[in-house]
Amino acid sequence: GLRAGHVDFAWICGFPYVLHAREFRLVAVPVWRGRQTYQSYLIAGRDSALAGIDDLRGRSFAFSDPLSNSGYLYMRFLLAQRQARSDTFFSRSFFAHSHLNVVEAVADGLADGGAVDGYVWEVLAEVMPVLTARTRVLQRSPEFAFPPLVAGAHVDARVRHRMQLALLSMHDSAEGRAVLKELRLDRLDAGTPRQYDSIADMARIVG
């Protein structure tokens, strides 16, 4: 919708942002726990004896979405470092199509491991602690720039600037603070495309 011009603004993952950088304009980057970054979490069932990615060879695995950095791209990068691919490394892998679904799949034993957005897992740990307690984090990735809020390239620069001013001042109003609190975010800051270079590098490496 955003690329086709049907949507003007969206909160997207860093992976599609770097894939289609010419079609998007960065508007704001969320600040979570004082930083503009988040991590990918490799999770397993609470009672499993798995210790890391190498223990998942020959096991089943849940990805979140093919356009997710934390739920797909980073895991492909880890496998590429081992000269491996998901279709041969795991006995079975599948897309759960949301980070919540990945956590549920691992908690229910439908997958031995899964890749999720660490921000989402941490928020779920607050609002659905019974669910996340049935999983545990095996590995945390390096920090990546937080999923950005972007505008389509078709959006007029003046409109984009007004939206940016509104987003960057959310924490100054009671209504804005209520939304940020619901999202567990501190505020929204201006960012730079260069923050997403590490994600772009991984995308190039995995092809």
Side-chain angles (χ1 to χ4, degrees):
L2 188 66
R3 295 174 61 203
H6 303 311
V7 175
D8 294 332
F9 297 92
W11 189 9
I12 66 173
C13 185
F15 185 21
Y17 172 66
V18 301
L19 284 179
H20 307 291
R22 294 179 182 176
E23 299 169 71
F24 300 143
R25 300 293 181 267
L26 183 63
V27 176
V29 180
V31 178
W32 175 53
R33 296 182 174 178
R35 303 172 71 92
Q36 290 185 329
T37 58
Y38 79 122
Q39 294 168 289
S40 171
Y41 284 7
L42 173 63
I43 63 171
R46 176 188 59 202
D47 300 322
S48 78
L50 303 173
I53 178 65
D54 294 309
D55 291 338
L56 281 160
R57 187 183 295 272
R59 305 275 192 148
S60 58
F61 197 84
F63 296 108
S64 66
D65 184 277
L67 284 177
S68 172
N69 171 51
S70 57
Y72 185 53
L73 176 63
Y74 177 66
M75 284 304 305
R76 286 182 62 196
F77 174 72
L78 280 185
L79 294 178
Q81 290 182 317
R82 291 160 172 77
Q83 288 76 52
R85 299 195 322 252
S86 59
D87 58 348
T88 55
F89 187 86
F90 302 116
S91 61
R92 180 176 69 98
S93 64
F94 59 92
F95 290 108
H97 298 296
S98 81
H99 295 288
L100 170 60
N101 289 347
V102 170
V103 178
E104 289 179 334
V106 173
D108 292 341
L110 299 176
D112 294 310
V116 298
D117 180 322
Y119 157 73
V120 174
W121 191 94
E122 296 289 354
V123 172
L124 288 174
E126 291 183 36
V127 300
M128 301 176 68
V130 174
L131 172 63
T132 54
R134 293 164 58 206
T135 70
R136 60 191 177 87
V137 179
L138 300 184
Q139 254 174 259
R140 290 172 172 81
S141 74
E143 294 194 347
F144 300 115
F146 209 93
L149 283 83
V150 302
H154 65 277
V155 176
D156 182 83
R158 290 166 298 180
V159 174
R160 187 174 74 242
H161 183 62
R162 287 200 298 272
M163 173 64 88
Q164 183 179 50
L165 291 177
L167 291 171
L168 300 190
S169 63
M170 279 181 68
H171 60 284
D172 292 328
S173 71
E175 185 177 16
R177 286 192 296 272
V179 173
L180 291 169
K181 183 179 180 181
E182 185 75 15
L183 295 170
R184 271 64 176 178
L185 298 176
D186 303 342
R187 63 184 185 278
L188 297 171
D189 277 355
T192 67
R194 294 301 302 273
Q195 289 173 259
Y196 297 87
D197 283 355
S198 65
I199 297 176
D201 290 341
M202 288 193 303
R204 279 192 292 271
I205 288 169
V206 303

